[in-house]
Amino acid sequence: MTVPVPLSADARANTFGATHSVVALPQWSMVGVPSPFGGNDTVFDAYDEFVPENLPQPGPFVEGHDVLDGNRHLAVHRLARALFEERGVYDMTFGYNLARLNTDPRHPGAGYRYAVEDPDADDAITGDDVEADSDEGAPRVLRAEFTPTTAFCPQSDTLTTGTFRAWNGLADRHEFDLVRVRVAPMHQRATAIDGELKRLEREFRETGEIPGDDTGTASPDESAIPF
């Protein structure tokens, strides 16, 4: 499956080729910003550069599905960046859009990995669970697995919840019928966090509404409030 990657200032290509209008975000080749912990500036990986050694390994939530890498991963992650910017999904520790964690060389192995769900998997979402927009029958489902920087990261619950709300609350920006989110099992509260994400997912499938969703947009300057 080939995924177009080039994005213009007026439109962003979604994962499978459709376009949608969003606020244009600058595409830097390399970005230097001050480290929140002091010391020299950090040079981040580019958003159009796939650096496997700086990304988490696919975990159990995405393994066995169509794991995205290369240009396909980059296309989805640039879209995530735009959605997070609109919804104010920011890491309060580092003071940046959560999508940037994938490009932060200080934290190799942290961030998001994605997979297109295999409709034949035992735990796959079926047409009975969510209405598909396409005529193909099976719904298009994206899986997103978040690996935090540490096993005790206190933001993991709010960051994954914010991710779920951003992707599914702005569903008109992409072609997926559902985006499922989980935290990597290395987190000490993974079971509890994933349980809450499953609850949100279930209510969203049943009602079409995201419980407690706030559609207001936070400014990057308001990073003290992640959503």
Side-chain angles (χ1 to χ4, degrees):
M1 179 168 54
T2 301
V3 181
V5 175
L7 305 176
S8 71
D10 299 319
R12 288 184 176 276
N14 70 17
T15 319
F16 297 102
T19 59
H20 57 270
S21 298
V22 298
V23 177
L25 297 175
Q27 298 294 310
W28 297 283
S29 58
M30 299 298 280
V31 182
V33 299
S35 166
F37 303 111
N40 297 329
D41 288 356
T42 297
V43 178
F44 290 82
D45 300 330
Y47 278 103
D48 60 356
E49 182 182 13
F50 184 71
V51 186
E53 59 267 28
N54 284 348
L55 296 177
Q57 291 295 314
F61 188 59
V62 297
E63 284 181 325
H65 300 270
D66 184 10
V67 177
L68 305 185
D69 57 15
N71 289 340
R72 298 172 68 208
H73 170 90
L74 294 172
V76 166
H77 198 61
R78 280 198 296 268
L79 176 55
R81 179 186 173 215
L83 300 180
F84 292 172
E85 195 70 20
E86 181 160 342
R87 285 300 185 95
V89 185
Y90 268 62
D91 186 306
M92 293 190 297
T93 299
F94 306 120
Y96 56 48
N97 183 313
L98 179 59
R100 177 162 285 182
L101 182 59
N102 273 49
T103 69
D104 192 335
R106 297 169 301 178
H107 304 288
Y112 270 105
R113 291 304 301 265
Y114 308 98
V116 175
E117 184 171 275
D118 179 357
D120 295 325
D122 291 341
D123 61 343
I125 297 299
T126 69
D128 294 332
D129 298 316
V130 62
E131 182 178 354
D133 289 335
S134 68
D135 296 329
E136 299 177 2
R140 300 286 292 180
V141 178
L142 179 71
R143 292 187 173 211
E145 185 175 61
F146 177 64
T147 300
T149 56
T150 67
F152 49 84
C153 172
Q155 296 183 80
S156 292
D157 53 350
T158 54
L159 291 174
T160 51
T161 297
T163 296
F164 178 85
R165 289 175 172 166
W167 275 102
N168 294 294
L170 297 171
D172 60 322
R173 306 294 180 86
H174 56 82
E175 78 285 11
F176 295 107
D177 299 301
L178 176 68
V179 177
R180 308 176 72 184
V181 182
R182 299 290 187 272
V183 69
M186 54 80 75
H187 195 279
Q188 62 179 358
R189 296 189 58 250
T191 299
I193 292 171
D194 284 349
E196 176 62 14
L197 290 167
K198 291 175 183 178
R199 183 190 68 81
L200 290 174
E201 181 184 303
R202 182 173 60 253
E203 291 193 28
F204 176 62
R205 296 200 316 260
E206 292 174 351
T207 67
E209 302 290 336
I210 301 175
D213 187 36
D214 181 0
T215 57
T217 302
S219 163
D221 294 333
E222 297 169 343
S223 57
I225 304 175
F227 318 121

